Amino acid sequence: MLDYMGIINLNEREDNIKGLTGHRPLAAVPIAGRYRMIDFALSNLVNAGVQNISIFTQNKYRSLLDHLGTGKAWDLDRKNDGLFIMNPMYDYYNLGIYRGDIENFKCHMDYINFSKQNNVIITPSNMICNVDYQEAIKHHNETGADITIIYKKADNCTVDFQYCSTLEMDEYGRIERIDINFGKENGCNVSMDMYIMKKSLFLDIVNSCVSTGYCDYFREAVYKYLHKLKIFGYGFEGYLACINSTYSYYKTSMQLLDMDISRELFFKNGLIYTKVKDEPPTKYKENARIINSLVANGCTIDGLVENSILFRSVKIKKGAVVKDSIIMQNCSIEEESRVVNAILDKSVRVTKGKQIIGNTDNPEVIEKKTVI
Amino acid sequence: MKKKEWIAMILAGGQGSRLTLLTKKIAKPAVYFGGKYRIIDFVLSNCSNSGIDTVGVLTQYQPLVLNSYIGIGSPWDLDRKKGGVTLLPPYVNERGGEWYKGTANAIYQNINFVDEYDPDYVVVLSGDHIYKMDYSMMLDYHKEKSAEATIAVIEVPWEETCRFGIMNTGPDGRIEEFDEKPRNARSNLASMGIYIFNWNVLKKYLVEDEADPESSNDFGKNIIPKMLNSGIRLFAYPFDGYWKDVGTIESLWEANMDLLKEDNRLNLFDPKWKIYSVNAIRPPHFAGATADIKCSMVGEGCIIHGEVRNSVLFPGVYIGKDTKVVDTVVMPKVMIGENVVVERAIIGLESVINNGCRIGDSTSGSITLVGEYEQMPQGTVYI
């Protein structure tokens, strides 16, 4: 059995994607028609054989808990190990002042200690990819690194992966410098914020951060240890998107309409699992016209849908037009209305004849349950 | 074991030989239907939605797929600590063993299973019908009439009465006479194969029926007539809704096509009465730039580049460019290449139809069936 436990660290920036994260954490943002962001991180771990997975949340976790349930959808409803959810302990000793993810790890130290696995994989939820951790672990063992950080060599860093960490490595792959991508150069090595290391080292880092007080964030701690430990990079070759802004959410969603990307993301190293909703197949009616779109189950379509993503149970009525848009679960686009370049959160109703027009660089985000 | 008020027994051992190629390796209740489901999903979901938490599924013919499909019943919320779903294949005992000889014999052989729960009522259901029904309303009716047995009935067209077991009822709904496939029917109320019995009454008749060597151990042929003759209180419960026995290729095709009609009475979109099933793990379906889909149902994971009209596509179907699929049921993971025309057909699981094939005929009255895992070489014409 794989001697690894998985930690999904939801200490993620949400300030550039506020429209979709007002009432949910980034990890629970719906994506790709029927998934939530966290499904990718969870499925990648499960597909690699990790059976003990904990999710370190921040606040606003109600919708996340609802989505995860007992972990059954990911085959994590286990007697031994399985899925654990670690919410911040606000009243423990910190008087409600949130001081970064290190503190959350510290509060749940017992769980990490008692887990029987000797190694950890730490991953965020905002890196959308289908990664084979088995390969990364193999590389980790071969290099004999203390910590391996998974990265992707990208060539579009002036536009994408804004504010992600970037890595500079020597010829052997040892990391020499960690920076932040402010979009100055095209080529960069984007850190996927995925770390592989011994559990004991992870605990040491957390403990020393807490006792010395010199770092609040795990990412910061790794940076400080750069020259004390052997920290290596493992290059991931596949498709990667980092969703940390409304723009990147929209852009990534539209990229999924490319079947080569979709096929890789949903099938390559294993399937992506999600909570099932038992919706019937989608029904196309007489006036339906559909072009280049992804459509989940349970929709009823009687209008025009082009270059768009429809989540489950969306209704597109006769004469309605939806173009270059993302329409989340239970939305209803009524007769003769138009939605262009927009992101409609769950259960939005666009009434007869109304229009929502955004632009490509700045899609219009409509809040959950809005009636237009 | 804790006593249960009622439990359900689902007869799922039938071969469905008239479904020919589709039931070569699976029992009829496991046949695909409606772009996502297997036929047995309907009766299992009805049980679950009606509040029945203990269900026995009697299997016999080709049970492998059915067994692994039902599993511990979690898709239907039937994985329970007490009760839940139990698969009941024939078994051997100290006197030897035998197959289920008939529907009544199947229940007779499982008297011990039913007795474990000591139920007041037993619902006997057939695993191969498509309908949505709240059995708890039927139970209320059964109690209200102080019935000892209640049979659900549906009005069928008079000209079809000769295909059904017909109930002649009195004004209060009490069954006075039962005609199995009558030539001159006096009523058009057909039995739907849905029964509620008081368990103590049914048990007595099952034991008596078993002792009768002349009997073919069938509910319709033996048990019900015997109950009628001895004056048991038998009532007909009228059902008004969609109900279909998909016994033949034609009726299976027709039932799928019914889902596409505007006035279709089998509403799969009702959030209060969902039909549960084992969901495919697939992304949403994709319609490409050249796709043209109208009047159809499409499951998850399909990739469509061609024209689809009046058809039902199950999950994971691929349809290439310049291909036309009309009036057809396409089962999971079928690959249809480019320049293909498919009309009035059923294409079985994981078949591959290569470029330039022509399947089916729109002018023909019959349905063209392509079996499971078939390979149609390029340019095949199959009508």
Short mmCIF file of all heavy atoms in Angstrom, two decimals, chain A residues 285-321:
data_model
loop_
_atom_site.label_atom_id
_atom_site.label_comp_id
_atom_site.label_asym_id
_atom_site.label_seq_id
_atom_site.Cartn_x
_atom_site.Cartn_y
_atom_site.Cartn_z
N LYS A 285 -34.86 19.99 -27.37
CA LYS A 285 -36.18 20.09 -27.97
C LYS A 285 -36.07 20.55 -29.42
O LYS A 285 -34.98 20.74 -29.95
CB LYS A 285 -37.04 21.04 -27.16
CG LYS A 285 -37.30 20.50 -25.76
CD LYS A 285 -38.41 21.28 -25.12
CE LYS A 285 -38.85 20.62 -23.85
NZ LYS A 285 -39.92 21.41 -23.23
N GLU A 286 -37.24 20.79 -29.98
CA GLU A 286 -37.37 21.09 -31.41
C GLU A 286 -36.53 22.27 -31.89
O GLU A 286 -35.95 22.24 -32.97
CB GLU A 286 -38.84 21.43 -31.64
CG GLU A 286 -39.45 20.85 -32.85
CD GLU A 286 -40.93 21.21 -32.84
OE1 GLU A 286 -41.58 21.13 -31.76
OE2 GLU A 286 -41.41 21.60 -33.90
N ASN A 287 -36.47 23.34 -31.07
CA ASN A 287 -35.78 24.56 -31.53
C ASN A 287 -34.35 24.64 -31.04
O ASN A 287 -33.72 25.68 -31.13
CB ASN A 287 -36.54 25.78 -31.05
CG ASN A 287 -38.00 25.72 -31.46
OD1 ASN A 287 -38.31 25.70 -32.64
ND2 ASN A 287 -38.88 25.63 -30.48
N ALA A 288 -33.84 23.54 -30.50
CA ALA A 288 -32.49 23.57 -29.96
C ALA A 288 -31.47 23.73 -31.08
O ALA A 288 -31.62 23.20 -32.17
CB ALA A 288 -32.22 22.28 -29.20
N ARG A 289 -30.43 24.50 -30.76
CA ARG A 289 -29.32 24.62 -31.70
C ARG A 289 -28.09 24.66 -30.81
O ARG A 289 -27.98 25.53 -29.93
CB ARG A 289 -29.49 25.90 -32.50
CG ARG A 289 -28.43 26.13 -33.55
CD ARG A 289 -28.74 25.33 -34.82
NE ARG A 289 -27.61 25.45 -35.77
CZ ARG A 289 -26.57 24.61 -35.79
NH1 ARG A 289 -26.52 23.62 -34.95
NH2 ARG A 289 -25.59 24.77 -36.65
N ILE A 290 -27.18 23.74 -30.99
CA ILE A 290 -26.04 23.69 -30.07
C ILE A 290 -24.74 23.62 -30.86
O ILE A 290 -24.61 22.86 -31.80
CB ILE A 290 -26.15 22.49 -29.10
CG1 ILE A 290 -24.96 22.43 -28.16
CG2 ILE A 290 -26.28 21.17 -29.82
CD1 ILE A 290 -25.33 22.50 -26.73
N ILE A 291 -23.81 24.49 -30.50
CA ILE A 291 -22.53 24.55 -31.20
C ILE A 291 -21.41 24.63 -30.18
O ILE A 291 -21.43 25.48 -29.30
CB ILE A 291 -22.47 25.79 -32.12
CG1 ILE A 291 -23.65 25.79 -33.08
CG2 ILE A 291 -21.15 25.83 -32.89
CD1 ILE A 291 -23.98 27.14 -33.64
N ASN A 292 -20.44 23.76 -30.31
CA ASN A 292 -19.20 23.82 -29.53
C ASN A 292 -19.44 24.10 -28.04
O ASN A 292 -18.97 25.09 -27.51
CB ASN A 292 -18.30 24.91 -30.14
CG ASN A 292 -16.88 24.77 -29.66
OD1 ASN A 292 -16.37 23.66 -29.53
ND2 ASN A 292 -16.24 25.88 -29.34
N SER A 293 -20.14 23.21 -27.39
CA SER A 293 -20.47 23.45 -25.98
C SER A 293 -20.41 22.16 -25.17
O SER A 293 -20.54 21.07 -25.72
CB SER A 293 -21.87 24.04 -25.85
OG SER A 293 -21.92 25.29 -26.49
N LEU A 294 -20.19 22.34 -23.87
CA LEU A 294 -20.23 21.22 -22.93
C LEU A 294 -21.54 21.32 -22.16
O LEU A 294 -21.88 22.38 -21.64
CB LEU A 294 -19.08 21.32 -21.93
CG LEU A 294 -17.73 20.73 -22.29
CD1 LEU A 294 -16.73 21.12 -21.22
CD2 LEU A 294 -17.78 19.22 -22.43
N VAL A 295 -22.26 20.20 -22.06
CA VAL A 295 -23.56 20.24 -21.42
C VAL A 295 -23.68 19.08 -20.43
O VAL A 295 -23.50 17.92 -20.80
CB VAL A 295 -24.69 20.13 -22.46
CG1 VAL A 295 -26.05 20.23 -21.79
CG2 VAL A 295 -24.55 21.20 -23.53
N ALA A 296 -23.97 19.38 -19.18
CA ALA A 296 -24.13 18.34 -18.17
C ALA A 296 -25.53 17.75 -18.24
O ALA A 296 -26.38 18.22 -19.00
CB ALA A 296 -23.87 18.92 -16.79
N ASN A 297 -25.79 16.75 -17.43
CA ASN A 297 -27.10 16.09 -17.41
C ASN A 297 -28.20 16.99 -16.86
O ASN A 297 -27.94 17.96 -16.17
CB ASN A 297 -27.02 14.84 -16.55
CG ASN A 297 -26.73 13.60 -17.37
OD1 ASN A 297 -26.62 13.67 -18.60
ND2 ASN A 297 -26.62 12.48 -16.72
N GLY A 298 -29.43 16.63 -17.17
CA GLY A 298 -30.57 17.27 -16.54
C GLY A 298 -31.00 18.59 -17.15
O GLY A 298 -31.90 19.25 -16.65
N CYS A 299 -30.34 19.01 -18.24
CA CYS A 299 -30.71 20.29 -18.87
C CYS A 299 -31.88 20.08 -19.84
O CYS A 299 -32.10 18.98 -20.34
CB CYS A 299 -29.55 20.88 -19.65
SG CYS A 299 -28.12 21.27 -18.65
N THR A 300 -32.60 21.17 -20.11
CA THR A 300 -33.61 21.17 -21.17
C THR A 300 -33.25 22.33 -22.09
O THR A 300 -33.16 23.47 -21.63
CB THR A 300 -35.01 21.41 -20.58
OG1 THR A 300 -35.11 20.69 -19.36
CG2 THR A 300 -36.08 20.95 -21.52
N ILE A 301 -33.03 22.03 -23.35
CA ILE A 301 -32.54 23.06 -24.26
C ILE A 301 -33.50 23.24 -25.43
O ILE A 301 -33.78 22.30 -26.16
CB ILE A 301 -31.13 22.69 -24.78
CG1 ILE A 301 -30.17 22.54 -23.60
CG2 ILE A 301 -30.63 23.74 -25.77
CD1 ILE A 301 -28.82 22.01 -23.97
N ASP A 302 -33.97 24.47 -25.58
CA ASP A 302 -34.87 24.76 -26.70
C ASP A 302 -34.43 26.05 -27.41
O ASP A 302 -35.16 26.61 -28.20
CB ASP A 302 -36.31 24.88 -26.18
CG ASP A 302 -37.33 24.61 -27.28
OD1 ASP A 302 -36.93 24.00 -28.31
OD2 ASP A 302 -38.49 25.00 -27.13
N GLY A 303 -33.22 26.53 -27.05
CA GLY A 303 -32.73 27.76 -27.67
C GLY A 303 -31.36 27.54 -28.29
O GLY A 303 -30.95 26.40 -28.51
N LEU A 304 -30.62 28.63 -28.50
CA LEU A 304 -29.30 28.53 -29.11
C LEU A 304 -28.21 28.59 -28.05
O LEU A 304 -28.21 29.48 -27.21
CB LEU A 304 -29.11 29.69 -30.10
CG LEU A 304 -27.67 29.88 -30.62
CD1 LEU A 304 -27.26 28.76 -31.53
CD2 LEU A 304 -27.53 31.21 -31.33
N VAL A 305 -27.31 27.63 -28.08
CA VAL A 305 -26.19 27.61 -27.14
C VAL A 305 -24.91 27.48 -27.95
O VAL A 305 -24.76 26.56 -28.74
CB VAL A 305 -26.32 26.41 -26.17
CG1 VAL A 305 -25.13 26.38 -25.23
CG2 VAL A 305 -27.62 26.48 -25.40
N GLU A 306 -23.99 28.44 -27.76
CA GLU A 306 -22.77 28.42 -28.56
C GLU A 306 -21.56 28.72 -27.68
O GLU A 306 -21.61 29.65 -26.86
CB GLU A 306 -22.88 29.45 -29.68
CG GLU A 306 -21.77 29.32 -30.70
CD GLU A 306 -21.96 30.27 -31.88
OE1 GLU A 306 -23.04 30.87 -32.02
OE2 GLU A 306 -21.00 30.40 -32.66
N ASN A 307 -20.48 27.97 -27.84
CA ASN A 307 -19.24 28.16 -27.07
C ASN A 307 -19.50 28.35 -25.58
O ASN A 307 -18.99 29.27 -24.97
CB ASN A 307 -18.47 29.39 -27.57
CG ASN A 307 -18.09 29.24 -29.02
OD1 ASN A 307 -17.89 28.13 -29.50
ND2 ASN A 307 -18.03 30.35 -29.72
N SER A 308 -20.28 27.49 -25.01
CA SER A 308 -20.67 27.70 -23.61
C SER A 308 -20.59 26.41 -22.82
O SER A 308 -20.44 25.33 -23.37
CB SER A 308 -22.09 28.25 -23.54
OG SER A 308 -22.14 29.53 -24.11
N ILE A 309 -20.68 26.56 -21.49
CA ILE A 309 -20.71 25.41 -20.60
C ILE A 309 -22.00 25.47 -19.79
O ILE A 309 -22.26 26.47 -19.12
CB ILE A 309 -19.49 25.41 -19.67
CG1 ILE A 309 -18.23 25.22 -20.53
CG2 ILE A 309 -19.60 24.33 -18.61
CD1 ILE A 309 -16.96 25.18 -19.74
N LEU A 310 -22.80 24.43 -19.89
CA LEU A 310 -24.03 24.38 -19.11
C LEU A 310 -23.86 23.34 -18.01
O LEU A 310 -23.53 22.20 -18.28
CB LEU A 310 -25.23 23.99 -19.98
CG LEU A 310 -25.51 24.81 -21.24
CD1 LEU A 310 -26.85 24.37 -21.84
CD2 LEU A 310 -25.53 26.30 -20.95
N PHE A 311 -24.12 23.75 -16.77
CA PHE A 311 -24.08 22.83 -15.64
C PHE A 311 -25.39 22.05 -15.59
O PHE A 311 -26.26 22.18 -16.44
CB PHE A 311 -23.86 23.61 -14.34
CG PHE A 311 -22.42 24.01 -14.14
CD1 PHE A 311 -21.83 24.95 -14.96
CD2 PHE A 311 -21.67 23.45 -13.13
CE1 PHE A 311 -20.50 25.32 -14.79
CE2 PHE A 311 -20.35 23.81 -12.94
CZ PHE A 311 -19.76 24.76 -13.76
N ARG A 312 -25.57 21.26 -14.51
CA ARG A 312 -26.73 20.38 -14.43
C ARG A 312 -28.03 21.17 -14.26
O ARG A 312 -28.06 22.21 -13.63
CB ARG A 312 -26.55 19.43 -13.25
CG ARG A 312 -25.38 18.49 -13.48
CD ARG A 312 -25.27 17.43 -12.43
NE ARG A 312 -24.31 17.76 -11.40
CZ ARG A 312 -23.52 16.86 -10.79
NH1 ARG A 312 -23.59 15.59 -11.11
NH2 ARG A 312 -22.69 17.22 -9.86
N SER A 313 -29.08 20.65 -14.87
CA SER A 313 -30.45 21.18 -14.72
C SER A 313 -30.61 22.63 -15.15
O SER A 313 -31.35 23.39 -14.54
CB SER A 313 -30.91 21.07 -13.26
OG SER A 313 -30.91 19.74 -12.87
N VAL A 314 -29.93 23.03 -16.20
CA VAL A 314 -30.13 24.38 -16.74
C VAL A 314 -31.25 24.31 -17.77
O VAL A 314 -31.38 23.34 -18.50
CB VAL A 314 -28.81 24.87 -17.39
CG1 VAL A 314 -29.05 26.10 -18.24
CG2 VAL A 314 -27.77 25.13 -16.33
N LYS A 315 -32.08 25.34 -17.76
CA LYS A 315 -33.16 25.40 -18.75
C LYS A 315 -32.91 26.54 -19.72
O LYS A 315 -32.76 27.67 -19.30
CB LYS A 315 -34.51 25.59 -18.05
CG LYS A 315 -35.00 24.32 -17.43
CD LYS A 315 -35.99 24.59 -16.32
CE LYS A 315 -35.82 23.60 -15.20
NZ LYS A 315 -34.62 23.79 -14.36
N ILE A 316 -32.86 26.23 -21.00
CA ILE A 316 -32.72 27.26 -22.03
C ILE A 316 -34.02 27.24 -22.83
O ILE A 316 -34.29 26.30 -23.57
CB ILE A 316 -31.53 26.95 -22.97
CG1 ILE A 316 -30.25 26.61 -22.18
CG2 ILE A 316 -31.32 28.09 -23.96
CD1 ILE A 316 -29.52 27.76 -21.59
N LYS A 317 -34.81 28.29 -22.68
CA LYS A 317 -36.12 28.29 -23.31
C LYS A 317 -36.04 28.72 -24.78
O LYS A 317 -35.02 29.22 -25.25
CB LYS A 317 -37.06 29.23 -22.55
CG LYS A 317 -37.20 28.88 -21.06
CD LYS A 317 -38.41 28.02 -20.80
CE LYS A 317 -38.43 27.47 -19.38
NZ LYS A 317 -38.79 28.49 -18.38
N LYS A 318 -37.15 28.57 -25.44
CA LYS A 318 -37.25 28.88 -26.87
C LYS A 318 -36.84 30.33 -27.16
O LYS A 318 -37.26 31.24 -26.45
CB LYS A 318 -38.70 28.66 -27.29
CG LYS A 318 -38.91 28.69 -28.77
CD LYS A 318 -40.37 28.40 -29.08
CE LYS A 318 -40.66 28.76 -30.53
NZ LYS A 318 -42.05 28.55 -30.87
N GLY A 319 -36.03 30.50 -28.17
CA GLY A 319 -35.65 31.85 -28.58
C GLY A 319 -34.53 32.45 -27.75
O GLY A 319 -34.01 33.52 -28.08
N ALA A 320 -34.11 31.79 -26.67
CA ALA A 320 -33.01 32.33 -25.86
C ALA A 320 -31.69 32.06 -26.56
O ALA A 320 -31.54 31.09 -27.29
CB ALA A 320 -33.02 31.68 -24.48
N VAL A 321 -30.72 32.96 -26.31
CA VAL A 321 -29.40 32.81 -26.91
C VAL A 321 -28.35 32.85 -25.81
O VAL A 321 -28.34 33.77 -25.00
CB VAL A 321 -29.14 33.96 -27.91
CG1 VAL A 321 -27.71 33.90 -28.44
CG2 VAL A 321 -30.13 33.90 -29.06
#
